[in-house]
Amino acid sequence: MTPFRVRYAPSPTGHLHIGGARTALFNYLIARKNNGQFIIRFEDTDQTRHMESGIGSQLDGLKWLGLDWDESVDVGGPFGPYRQTERLDLYRPFVEQMLRDGHAYHCYCSEADLEQERAEQEAKGEMPRYSGRCRHLTPAQIAQFEAEGRKPSIRFRVPADKIIAFEDRIREHVEFESNGIGDFIIVRPDGIPTYNFAVILDDHLMNITLVIRGEEHLSNTPRQILMYEALGLAVPEFAHLALILNQDRKKMSKRDESIIQFIEQYRELGYLPEAVLNFITLLGWSPKGEEEIFTKEELIAQFDLDRLSKSPAVFDMDKLNWMNNQYLKKADLSRVVELAVPHLQKAGRISAELTAEQQEWVSRLVGLNQDRMNYAAEIVPLSELFFQDEVSCEDDEAKAVLSEEFVPAVLGAFLQQVEQAESFAVESIPAMLKAVQKDTGYKGKQLFMPIRVALTGQMHGPDLNMSLYLLGKEKVVSRLKKLL
């Protein structure tokens, strides 16, 4: 029995996109669940879109998500090379077989010829497709084209009146009519195979048994099946993933700015990779039960193609933020600090080099806000009040708190405690507040609320003792004096 083998085969055109990451992840999960192999190869024959950095960027994004693979450009493997431009010699025998068996032919049509043909078909209200004008060229016609210096492409000869049917692992029974396809190019005039031809040869030569890919490839499948059959090759199973929609339930495009679309951007914003991986897995796959938070190992154990949805998945940014917040709450503080520090430095809040004392202060600052952060970059707006010279009180309710007649007594007593304090450690602040209570007779909300509003401008916030400590004695004294 052939080992269970799946692949992720992107074009190296830039950073890892959410859609590509989901395709890679589903392939990875099904391979690990079934003790199979997960292969990554690169379809780089379209040199107009190729970016050399795209290969490293794709692999880095997948590594950051926590994926590993059995074969690829970086780890090698028995079925390499793992980029199409290095496999051209492997394709040539199949091209020759197609031509020899009459399943393909040379086409000398120029771009101008094809454009004119398309325009004429559209004018008649017909679906544009190649008419087959080079299907039956005579030797004399071929000689004339050669004399003119025309370089032919090679087209696949699509059989007429054929129903191409297959059982998709997600969409179940799917059928196409061959008459709607038209003869298509399998090798360009420069000798480079097109995507549809190279992909079936790679899948065959690499023993791929299941092709999991996006819905946009569904229309490629009948072409690919016809070529498998023409070459006498086994056809793998297919599973076509439903689209990912934006929050307006419209098809997500790479120009859609309502969604952060590239894995690298999540990394830069300080999302946790395990949270992003968890979220992406739920885009079109539903686990058993109501639980939504899973480790990678739990996802592998539960993953099943039968639970993939035919309906489009909606990318819910709020849900991703909620999920990442759940992970951040449980993460080690040192890890969250490491993610947050670069954002504070970029915002000019802290220096590039921190003393041990400054590092301790930053750790406490991040710890104070850890439960409130959806992602690490949010530390900047969340901690803004600790870096302001002055605090402003914009909220009417907060202003009302400060207008109470007892407030000057509370704030004055607290100012006296702070000024007299030898130590302004977080551990010493509760004793100061207790002393204010004893001196003024005010307690509870009447004690804590005026101090919080006066020093932070907010009615609600994280732990008051830690907030006061982080503000520091100098800021606390300055703000109280100014208000009083």
Side-chain angles (χ1 to χ4, degrees):
M1 181 180 171
T2 305
F4 188 83
R5 290 170 60 81
V6 294
R7 50 71 167 179
Y8 171 56
S11 298
T13 55
H15 291 302
L16 179 61
H17 187 260
I18 285 288
R22 182 184 68 164
T23 299
L25 177 56
F26 286 175
N27 276 285
Y28 167 83
L29 292 173
I30 203 74
R32 295 293 174 259
K33 168 81 177 284
N34 293 279
N35 298 313
Q37 289 89 46
F38 173 48
I39 296 95
I40 297 178
R41 66 169 193 255
F42 291 91
E43 295 172 350
D44 63 342
T45 55
D46 186 350
Q47 291 296 299
T48 60
R49 300 173 66 232
H50 173 75
M51 288 174 59
E52 192 55 40
S53 62
I55 290 178
S57 181
Q58 289 271 334
L59 294 178
D60 287 347
L62 294 172
K63 283 176 188 170
W64 180 76
L65 285 171
L67 273 58
D68 60 277
W69 40 91
D70 302 292
E71 301 169 30
S72 191
V73 292
D74 57 338
V75 296
F79 297 93
Y82 292 92
R83 46 192 295 181
Q84 285 179 338
T85 51
E86 296 174 2
R87 298 174 61 81
L88 300 181
D89 288 343
L90 298 174
Y91 303 144
R92 288 194 182 99
F94 295 96
V95 178
E96 291 164 6
Q97 181 183 339
M98 283 280 207
L99 290 167
R100 187 174 61 247
D101 294 347
H103 293 300
Y105 59 91
H106 288 101
C107 172
Y108 291 87
C109 293
S110 67
E111 271 301 316
D113 294 335
L114 296 173
E115 186 55 48
Q116 182 183 349
E117 187 172 274
R118 276 194 294 269
E120 289 172 357
Q121 289 170 338
E122 286 173 353
K124 294 176 186 174
E126 298 173 357
M127 179 69 73
R129 65 187 182 93
Y130 183 64
S131 63
R133 63 202 290 178
C134 289
R135 262 185 172 226
H136 306 292
L137 292 176
T138 64
Q141 288 173 312
I142 292 172
Q144 182 183 340
F145 287 137
E146 295 282 350
E148 291 173 6
R150 291 201 189 192
K151 289 191 174 179
S153 57
I154 298 174
R155 286 186 183 269
F156 181 77
R157 196 186 300 271
V158 176
D161 304 322
K162 184 178 174 69
I163 298 295
I164 306 133
F166 63 98
E167 297 300 319
D168 191 278
R169 291 294 299 270
I170 298 170
R171 302 178 174 282
E172 299 171 347
H173 188 75
V174 183
E175 287 187 0
F176 290 88
E177 292 183 4
S178 66
N179 291 346
I181 296 175
D183 296 352
F184 53 89
I185 295 172
I186 60 172
V187 182
R188 300 186 190 96
D190 61 4
I192 305 292
T194 57
Y195 162 77
N196 273 316
F197 190 41
V199 76
I200 71 153
L201 300 179
D202 289 339
D203 285 343
H204 164 68
L205 293 169
M206 293 182 182
N207 292 341
I208 301 301
T209 56
L210 170 63
V211 174
I212 304 173
R213 59 190 181 188
E215 184 184 74
E216 66 273 15
H217 288 289
L218 191 62
S219 60
N220 289 323
T221 308
R223 293 171 170 81
Q224 293 171 9
I225 289 174
L226 287 173
M227 289 187 287
Y228 276 118
E229 292 174 349
L231 290 166
L233 307 177
V235 181
E237 285 191 283
F238 294 97
H240 288 92
L241 305 170
L243 293 171
I244 300 175
L245 305 180
N246 65 18
Q247 290 179 197
D248 296 326
R249 296 185 177 269
K250 293 178 181 175
K251 185 179 177 182
M252 195 162 67
S253 76
K254 292 187 179 179
R255 293 183 296 277
D256 186 349
E257 294 182 1
S258 67
I259 291 172
I260 301 166
Q261 298 202 31
F262 295 95
I263 296 299
E264 180 64 24
Q265 293 171 291
Y266 289 101
R267 185 178 186 173
E268 288 172 356
L269 284 168
Y271 284 80
L272 293 176
E274 56 269 39
V276 178
L277 180 139
N278 189 160
F279 174 77
I280 292 174
T281 307
L282 298 179
L283 290 174
W285 176 78
S286 56
K288 296 173 183 174
E290 299 299 317
E291 182 61 44
E292 292 187 298
I293 305 291
F294 298 97
T295 65
K296 184 174 71 174
E297 290 68 32
E298 288 168 340
L299 290 171
I300 290 170
Q302 275 212 42
F303 192 76
D304 190 333
L305 287 176
D306 293 340
R307 299 192 69 82
L308 286 171
S309 174
K310 296 178 190 176
S311 303
V314 177
F315 192 104
D316 185 342
M317 200 73 204
D318 293 335
K319 183 168 182 179
L320 172 57
N321 285 335
W322 169 83
M323 189 171 283
N324 199 64
N325 173 259
Q326 301 303 304
Y327 277 88
L328 280 171
K329 285 177 181 176
K330 296 174 184 174
D332 288 342
L333 176 59
S334 59
R335 186 181 180 199
V336 184
V337 170
E338 191 178 338
L339 290 171
V341 161
H343 297 285
L344 291 168
Q345 290 170 330
K346 186 178 178 183
R349 300 284 168 80
I350 59 174
S351 57
E353 298 294 328
L354 299 175
T355 63
E357 187 180 350
Q358 289 170 329
Q359 184 69 45
E360 172 65 21
W361 184 87
V362 170
S363 292
R364 292 191 176 205
L365 177 73
V366 175
L368 181 70
N369 292 286
Q370 184 171 353
D371 284 0
R372 303 199 296 162
M373 283 191 284
N374 291 320
Y375 49 91
E378 285 193 334
I379 189 62
V380 175
L382 286 172
S383 65
E384 189 173 359
L385 71 94
F386 298 101
F387 299 96
Q388 294 170 329
D389 291 329
E390 297 181 11
V391 65
S392 58
C393 192
E394 307 292 340
D395 185 80
D396 289 341
E397 201 177 348
K399 287 177 183 175
V401 168
L402 295 181
S403 66
E404 296 282 354
E405 61 181 39
F406 63 84
V407 167
V410 170
L411 297 183
F414 185 58
L415 172 60
Q416 190 176 7
Q417 287 293 325
V418 174
E419 286 183 315
Q420 292 173 354
E422 291 182 15
S423 166
F424 198 68
V426 67
E427 297 80 11
S428 63
I429 291 172
M432 295 183 204
L433 293 168
K434 198 158 190 176
V436 172
Q437 179 183 330
K438 187 176 179 183
D439 290 346
T440 64
Y442 294 108
K443 59 184 179 180
K445 271 191 172 184
Q446 289 183 314
L447 171 63
F448 300 116
M449 192 62 77
I451 292 173
R452 179 182 289 281
V453 173
L455 293 169
T456 70
Q458 300 170 356
M459 291 276 293
H460 309 284
D463 181 73
L464 180 60
N465 296 334
M466 183 60 74
S467 296
L468 296 174
Y469 162 75
L470 289 169
L471 279 169
K473 184 174 182 176
E474 188 178 321
K475 267 196 174 76
V476 168
V477 168
S478 170
R479 289 182 182 183
L480 287 173
K481 281 185 173 178
K482 184 161 189 180
L483 192 64
L484 286 166

